[in-house]
Amino acid sequence: MATTAPVHPVDEVPPVRQLAAFGLQHVLAMYAGAVAVPLIVGGAMKLSPADLAYLITADLLVCGIATLIQCVGFWRFGVRLPIMQGCTFAAVSPMVLIGTTGGGLPAIYGSVIVAGLAIVLLAPVFGRLLRFFPPLVTGTVILIIGVSLLPVAGNWAAGGVGSKDFEEPKNLALAGFVLAVVLGVQRFAPAFLSRIAVLIGIAVGLAVAVPFGFTDFSGVGDADWVGISTPFHFGAPTFEASAIISMLVVALVTMTETTGDLIAVGEMTGREVEPRSLADGLRADGLSTVLGGVFNTFPYTAFAQNVGLVGMTRVRSRWVVATAGGILVLLGLLPKLGAVVAAIPAPVLGGAGLVMFGTVAASGLRTLAQVDFKDNHNLTVVAVSVAVGMLPVGVPTVYEKFPDWFQTVMNSGISAGCLTAIVLNLLFNHLPSKASSAAETDGLPSGGEHGVEKPREEVV
């Protein structure tokens, strides 16, 4: 009898009820981050509440489409891994600057479209750079991603930056309660329920939050039932050189961040990312960014918080995240549903976020456990990279007096740490050292990259 080849966990299709539950869990994990960018940019430009609502629904719609492109894929677009897509925070400062200095939304969208096309063209180049991401670099980058996201969860737990009751003990108590529920479900519940521990924690937290006055659903009644985003709603895009240059810098930053996220998910799911699949994933980023410019939203990238959810739940199916993309499309087309999800208070998300973001950092440590730190400079690479990556997280204004392009690159702890890890790995482990040069002079073989994994005495 012919035997069928086993299906990789990434390609497995769970039952419908599990798809819905796991997918909704991913949506709730990223919703606050997804709507933050349009809220920040629209607020800085003093848009009307109606325009802000339009930006949010357009963002959710394209988030869903971008996620479907990345997970399901077609031709050479999409990495076909469980990756959620959302607006990148790296573009916030440049977009606010473009929008408030006379260019307005049309100038933002023109620069976003050009940046998306540039990402599509540069994707194969980044794909060939994968050999510069050994476990030493990827583990460091994943660690930085997780640690740099923890302050986000902390701000949510405290009530959300800008809220009237920010840092009130009741907010932290609610976040702690949600955290306890998530951990309790994960430890004591049956296998299926433990995999939706975050969803259960958010649901229980919301049930507790409503009677205690943490939130209300008054905005649900005001929201429309149906809302359709039309291309170039705010006018035809304009193409200004300064705006395009700043957005191209953002494109390089987001490509670096997405590379780290794709490698992280590849390691968590047991399907390693190769140069071709990395290029396909980045190409999907570029296409989604072009769609963002057309449909009145912003540049797109992989969302790291959902990387943590994949590692925490151990649910590796890309069809789960594709289902989440479908839910986002519905939220973008049905504003009333989006208003229901938006009513979830920040402390509830903060309690769940602490677990998810911590899981990302722990995954980085697990990858670094594969690295040999004996008689080499690998510890220095990790130490300096983490330090540089955490600098803008701990001191957000540290680069305030530097040029805009420098701030765009270095204000993201993820891109700053990633670039540092790549450069230091090249410096210490790829360039020939004095010892290896002496060995070659004496007719002995040089250690090269293999020397990284062996004590120096064995190499020379």
Side-chain angles (χ1 to χ4, degrees):
M1 293 179 61
T3 57
T4 57
V7 178
H8 193 281
V10 168
D11 298 318
E12 286 181 349
V13 182
V16 174
R17 66 184 183 90
Q18 293 186 15
L19 275 175
F22 293 149
L24 180 59
Q25 186 170 237
H26 272 281
V27 170
L28 296 179
M30 62 83 70
Y31 187 89
V35 301
V37 173
L39 282 174
I40 294 170
V41 176
M45 295 180 63
K46 297 181 171 54
L47 298 182
S48 67
D51 285 341
L52 270 178
Y54 192 94
L55 278 183
I56 290 172
T57 54
D59 174 39
L60 293 174
L61 175 64
V62 181
C63 272
I65 295 172
T67 299
L68 288 169
I69 293 172
Q70 196 69 274
C71 295
V72 179
F74 68 93
W75 191 51
R76 296 295 303 279
F77 291 86
V79 72
R80 296 167 175 83
L81 286 173
I83 290 287
M84 285 291 287
Q85 297 284 104
C87 283
T88 174
F89 285 87
V92 169
S93 297
M95 289 191 301
V96 168
L97 190 63
I98 296 167
T100 56
T101 54
L105 286 172
I108 292 176
Y109 295 139
S111 63
V112 167
I113 291 171
V114 173
L117 293 173
I119 292 174
V120 172
L121 295 174
L122 290 173
V125 177
F126 258 72
R128 287 193 287 271
L129 297 178
L130 192 60
R131 66 190 183 92
F132 297 115
F133 287 86
L136 173 65
V137 173
T138 57
T140 303
V141 172
I142 298 168
L143 174 62
I144 292 170
I145 290 172
V147 176
S148 64
L149 285 172
L150 286 173
V152 176
N155 284 326
W156 288 347
V161 177
S163 63
K164 295 179 181 178
D165 59 352
F166 186 67
E167 296 178 338
E168 288 286 338
K170 64 176 184 177
N171 292 330
L172 295 172
L174 178 59
F177 171 73
V178 172
L179 175 60
V181 171
V182 172
L183 295 177
V185 171
Q186 197 171 22
R187 174 62 181 85
F188 299 107
F192 169 69
L193 292 180
S194 69
R195 291 180 175 179
I196 56 170
V198 171
L199 177 60
I200 294 173
I202 291 175
V204 173
L206 182 59
V208 171
V210 173
F212 282 94
F214 281 90
T215 187
D216 65 77
F217 293 92
S218 59
V220 177
D222 300 331
D224 296 328
W225 278 105
V226 178
I228 299 176
S229 300
T230 55
F232 307 124
H233 174 80
F234 295 98
T238 59
F239 301 93
E240 300 181 8
S242 59
I244 290 172
I245 291 171
S246 62
M247 205 56 65
L248 288 175
V249 175
V250 170
L252 293 175
V253 173
T254 57
M255 291 177 79
T256 305
E257 292 182 359
T258 297
T259 298
D261 289 330
L262 296 185
I263 292 173
V265 171
E267 292 187 359
M268 289 177 181
T269 58
R271 176 176 282 178
E272 290 189 9
V273 174
E274 298 175 348
R276 180 186 173 111
S277 56
L278 174 59
D280 292 347
L282 293 173
R283 203 177 280 113
D285 261 16
L287 176 59
S288 303
T289 298
V290 172
L291 290 176
V294 172
F295 285 95
N296 320 293
T297 180
F298 308 115
Y300 284 84
T301 187
F303 254 33
Q305 46 262 59
N306 295 87
V307 174
L309 191 56
V310 170
M312 176 187 164
T313 62
R314 299 183 297 281
V315 176
R316 296 180 280 178
S317 171
R318 61 189 172 106
W319 298 106
V320 164
V321 181
T323 302
I327 294 173
L328 285 172
V329 171
L330 281 178
L331 293 177
L333 295 175
L334 303 174
K336 200 171 284 290
L337 281 180
V340 172
V341 178
I344 298 174
V348 172
L349 297 173
L354 288 171
V355 184
M356 294 186 299
F357 302 162
T359 301
V360 178
S363 299
L365 293 176
R366 183 177 61 187
T367 301
L368 287 173
Q370 308 170 20
V371 179
D372 180 17
F373 288 100
K374 184 180 179 183
D375 296 321
N376 54 43
H377 299 287
N378 289 342
L379 195 63
T380 302
V381 174
V382 176
V384 176
S385 301
V386 171
V388 173
M390 290 301 99
L391 194 56
V393 176
V395 189
T397 58
V398 65
Y399 300 122
E400 201 171 50
K401 297 185 179 180
F402 284 74
D404 291 339
W405 66 268
F406 187 88
Q407 292 186 49
T408 301
V409 176
M410 299 302 291
N411 270 340
S412 167
I414 298 172
S415 62
C418 183
L419 291 173
T420 304
I422 293 170
V423 171
L424 292 182
N425 179 56
L426 289 173
L427 176 65
F428 286 113
N429 296 325
H430 287 262
L431 295 180
S433 63
K434 292 180 180 179
S436 61
S437 299
E440 289 172 354
T441 303
D442 293 337
L444 298 173
S446 171
E449 292 184 33
H450 299 289
V452 177
E453 306 299 331
K454 299 178 181 180
R456 190 175 296 272
E457 291 82 359
E458 294 179 22
V459 175
V460 182

